[in-house]
C-alpha cells in the first residue's frame, strides 16, 4: 500500500513593517507664563537737558 507524501506547511510571508497601532496622542502643551515684572530699585525721574555721562558737556 502506498503512503501519502507529507504535505509541507504553506509558506508564510512575514510583514515588513511593524503592526499598526493608533497614533500617539500629542503631548500636552505647557501654558504660557509671564516672566516676573521687573521692578527698578529707584524710581526713574525725567531730567531735561541732561545727557548720558559719556557725552562731554558743551
Amino acid at each position: 500500500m502506498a503512503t501519502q507524501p507529507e504535505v509541507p506547511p504553506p509558506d508564510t510571508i512575514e510583514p515588513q513593517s511593524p503592526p499598526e497601532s493608533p497614533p500617539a496622542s500629542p503631548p500636552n502643551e505647557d501654558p504660557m507664563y509671564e516672566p516676573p515684572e521687573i521692578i527698578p530699585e529707584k524710581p526713574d525721574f525725567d531730567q531735561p537737558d541732561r545727557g548720558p555721562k559719556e557725552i562731554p558737556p558743551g
Side-chain angles (χ1 to χ4, degrees):
M1 190 191 273
T3 59
Q4 295 287 334
E6 283 190 35
V7 178
D11 291 337
T12 56
I13 300 173
E14 296 295 326
Q16 295 181 352
S17 60
E20 290 187 28
S21 59
S25 61
N28 293 334
E29 294 183 12
D30 293 333
M32 291 284 293
Y33 81 96
E34 294 190 19
E37 185 177 349
I38 298 173
I39 301 172
E41 295 176 8
K42 55 184 178 181
D44 188 19
F45 293 108
D46 285 337
Q47 297 177 352
D49 297 329
R50 181 137 189 213
K53 293 180 179 179
E54 64 266 11
I55 297 177

